[in-house]
Amino acid sequence: MTGRMSGEPGRRSDALRELTARHGGRGGLLPAALERARSGTAEGPETWAPHVAEAAGLPAAAGLGPATFFADLAAPRGERHVRVCTATACFAARGGDHLTEVERALGVMVGTVDETGSTSLQTVHCLGYCYAGPAALDGTLPRTGPDLADQLGGQAEPRAPAIPAADTTGTPVLLAGIAGGHSAWEVWREAVAGLRPEDVREETAVSGLRGRGGAGFPVAAKWAAAEGKPDTVVVANGDEGDPGSYADRLLMEEDPERVLTGLALACFACGARRGTVLVRSEYPRAMARLRRAVERATETGDLAPSVEAAGPRPFVEIVEGAGSYVAGEETALIARLEGARGCARPRPPYPTDHGLWDRPTVVNNVETLAALPWIVAHGGRAYARRGVPDETGTKLVCLSERFARPGAYEVELGTPVDEIVTRFGGGLKGGSELAALQIGGPLGGFLAGTALHVPLTTAALAEQGAALGHGGMVAFDAATDPYELLKHVWEFVTDESCGACSPCRVGTRRGLELAQGQGGPGETYGRLARLMVEASLCAFGRRVPAAVRSLARAYGPALEGWDR
């Protein structure tokens, strides 16, 4: 689409807004139409995506863009489609050997369909089974464990254990419903009957709640940016892409009512008549449970049956993702919901001014929303007494398969990392020594196994070169080759870069080339790292050098030269 930007600074061109409005009306189901077309053929997107776009009254590029960008749409698809996780926790579980074993068991290579067209194989970055990896989805059926290849090949009984979850605080916030508490809808009914939107905003501000998706932005401040603006939309970000984390999957599957109540409260606080939940396609069970929960809430009158009927009770829709890590970034997520490539957009304008379909849009993470029912029921001050003064409340941390007691634990912020690892996680399986701990996903950071005396807070972890992120913790023992782990990190960021900006698109590829070479990274790497940090469009590219630096520091001389 060409044409000069006009009108208010930061707004889209008139032509693009016209296209956006048309797309958001009868063309808004383009992503679902592309998925239907994808599932009906083994041909590449270039053969079917333009026709889907044409049927929606859009140019061919509107179909080809997302169809060639998202892994779920671009991947070859047989009658039996198997997705194998190659993300960090599954890599740590088997050193990456499970992928070759699966290829051998199924008789098909990654990215291809077998000669009969019956079986296709795709690699993905995290399925949310980090506590039991390696993992795969056979259609929509999960398979996990060291004998994964035998399960997929029919030589072993399939299994996929539920997420082990435990509260360590004595008064759970996020696990309140899972631990046997009352339905969160009771909180919503009392709120909508007796509170004003400003009451919910004030209690949230007093609580000090910050976003749990990684950025840690104050929730009340984000709401305030959209306050009083007509046609505001609230989006629940369920695109939990950080390998090592499965907190959002736990909440969406086991307590979808709490997630939806939190979304309804956010809509109420922002004056939004409409809410949307974007769920990763890698989470089919979460998708099904949320949709059933929406149906029940609509039947009971807690949610509106349509946008036209919405008021204090919002209309809520559930949307499926299409396979992209970076689409979890809020501007990329909005682009995905609009049917475009999931690329980050420059800010300003901010989504709270011009977001989904150019409407004011508030994006909150699933775990963030799940805390709201407790805050509204018990008060912001009660929540603020949890955690530490500057970072209040509780957090779900997820321990990977290498731990003796893997699972999701609700802890208060400020809990020492070594306490989480040893007391809750029980250390590593078989008494193995912890060599390194990844916190907050691939772009979070690494701590040496001997450097865990740090509080679980964003500020304290940042001082150690790590990040809180979604709160996933992936353990590595002596069996992991540090250099193979380094290459794994660079392979991940190369695969998942959206390509919207040259510093990240080219920088990740060049970093991978250096990691695959012999010896250290050389003198040019320092300049490359600085360029990525200073010029990348979004946090994805800016965080890569810091994550690599923390890994090098955790392993010391084994990764000499990468600590720049």
Side-chain angles (χ1 to χ4, degrees):
M1 177 64 65
T2 60
R4 297 180 61 187
M5 302 299 288
S6 60
E8 181 183 335
R11 288 184 64 88
R12 305 177 190 181
S13 67
D14 291 338
L16 183 55
R17 288 204 307 275
E18 181 182 351
L19 174 61
T20 298
R22 175 155 40 98
H23 190 174
R26 60 186 178 84
L29 297 179
L30 180 62
L34 289 170
E35 175 57 32
R36 288 193 297 271
R38 160 76 285 175
S39 63
T41 178
E43 299 293 332
E46 64 280 357
T47 64
W48 47 266
H51 300 298
V52 175
E54 182 181 354
L58 298 168
L64 277 170
T68 54
F69 176 86
F70 291 103
D72 290 354
L73 298 175
R77 189 77 58 88
E79 294 178 14
R80 180 191 184 190
H81 187 59
V82 178
R83 287 177 280 181
V84 178
C85 180
T86 58
T88 317
C90 289
F91 169 83
R94 295 281 287 108
D97 292 341
H98 64 288
L99 181 58
T100 302
E101 295 168 357
V102 168
E103 288 180 322
R104 188 180 304 117
L106 296 179
V108 60
M109 299 294 290
V110 168
T112 66
V113 181
D114 66 6
E115 294 181 356
T116 65
S118 60
T119 303
S120 55
L121 185 60
Q122 174 190 355
T123 57
V124 297
H125 291 134
C126 202
L127 295 171
Y129 288 86
C130 317
Y131 57 92
L137 278 179
D138 190 354
T140 60
L141 301 176
R143 306 284 184 258
T144 66
D147 60 345
L148 177 66
D150 288 339
Q151 293 180 48
L152 293 171
Q155 306 301 313
E157 286 296 317
R159 63 181 180 277
I163 300 174
D167 169 60
T168 71
T169 69
T171 309
V173 173
L174 301 163
L175 297 179
I178 296 173
H182 297 295
S183 169
W185 283 124
E186 294 298 329
V187 177
W188 165 243
R189 291 163 191 157
E190 293 178 8
V192 78
L195 296 178
R196 301 167 301 171
E198 51 264 41
D199 296 327
V200 177
R201 294 197 298 268
E202 181 179 351
E203 291 300 328
T204 303
V206 170
S207 75
L209 178 66
R210 292 176 175 267
R212 300 300 189 219
F217 193 80
V219 173
K222 181 178 284 191
W223 290 355
E227 183 180 347
K229 296 177 181 177
D231 298 324
T232 296
V233 179
V234 178
V235 177
N237 186 352
D239 196 0
E240 179 184 41
D242 273 355
S245 179
Y246 42 89
D248 290 355
R249 182 169 82 82
L250 170 69
L251 293 168
M252 290 187 289
E253 288 185 1
E254 302 303 327
D255 200 358
E257 291 80 9
R258 188 164 304 276
V259 175
L260 293 174
T261 299
L263 176 58
L265 287 166
C267 289
F268 182 65
C270 296
R273 298 163 56 91
R274 184 172 192 156
T276 298
V277 186
L278 179 68
V279 186
R280 304 183 69 216
S281 65
E282 295 89 343
Y283 291 174
R285 190 164 178 250
M287 175 76 63
R289 293 204 166 185
L290 277 167
R291 283 176 170 160
R292 285 198 295 270
V294 168
E295 291 174 0
R296 290 193 296 268
T298 303
E299 291 171 358
T300 58
D302 292 309
L303 296 177
S306 65
V307 177
E308 292 74 21
R313 293 172 175 80
F315 168 72
V316 172
E317 60 182 344
I318 311 298
V319 179
E320 184 176 11
S324 169
Y325 173 83
V326 78
E329 191 272 341
E330 64 177 12
T331 63
L333 179 149
I334 289 169
R336 185 269 175 273
L337 288 174
E338 291 176 338
R341 295 165 63 91
C343 296
R345 297 171 177 172
R347 292 176 286 188
Y350 293 94
T352 48
D353 291 320
H354 303 292
L356 184 63
W357 309 126
D358 222 11
R359 299 165 184 161
T361 303
V362 171
V363 181
N364 288 143
N365 160 262
V366 159
E367 185 178 332
T368 308
L369 296 171
L372 292 177
W374 196 96
I375 291 171
V376 172
H378 296 85
R381 295 189 185 280
Y383 187 85
R385 288 193 290 268
R386 317 288 294 273
V388 294
D390 293 333
E391 297 189 41
T392 61
T394 66
K395 179 79 183 74
L396 283 174
V397 295
C398 300
L399 305 188
S400 70
E401 174 270 347
R402 290 288 86 191
F403 285 94
R405 292 191 293 271
Y409 295 85
E410 183 168 358
V411 304
E412 292 203 8
L413 286 169
T415 302
V417 172
D418 58 350
E419 180 179 359
I420 296 171
V421 168
T422 57
R423 181 182 170 194
F424 305 141
L428 268 57
K429 287 182 176 178
S432 297
E433 183 178 349
L434 178 65
L437 181 72
Q438 183 190 70
I439 300 183
L443 304 184
F446 295 80
L447 298 175
T450 56
L452 304 182
H453 302 290
V454 54
L456 187 76
T457 65
T458 299
L461 289 170
E463 291 178 358
Q464 303 300 316
L468 179 59
H470 270 86
M473 295 188 180
V474 179
F476 299 92
D477 55 26
T480 300
D481 182 326
Y483 217 86
E484 290 299 318
L485 179 54
L486 173 72
K487 288 192 289 186
H488 170 80
V489 171
W490 279 111
E491 287 168 353
F492 173 85
V493 298
T494 302
D495 286 345
E496 294 293 353
S497 173
C498 76
C501 68
S502 297
C504 181
R505 181 181 67 253
V506 179
T508 53
R509 293 174 184 173
R510 180 56 181 152
L512 177 59
E513 291 172 358
L514 293 172
Q516 291 172 333
Q518 300 296 320
E523 294 298 323
T524 61
Y525 177 66
R527 295 194 298 271
L528 174 67
R530 288 193 296 274
L531 177 64
M532 293 183 69
V533 170
E534 295 173 5
S536 291
L537 180 61
C538 76
F540 183 94
R542 294 194 295 266
R543 277 295 308 172
V544 172
V548 171
R549 187 182 308 119
S550 70
L551 174 62
R553 290 175 177 173
Y555 277 102
L559 295 178
E560 185 177 357
W562 289 97
D563 57 348
R564 301 177 187 179

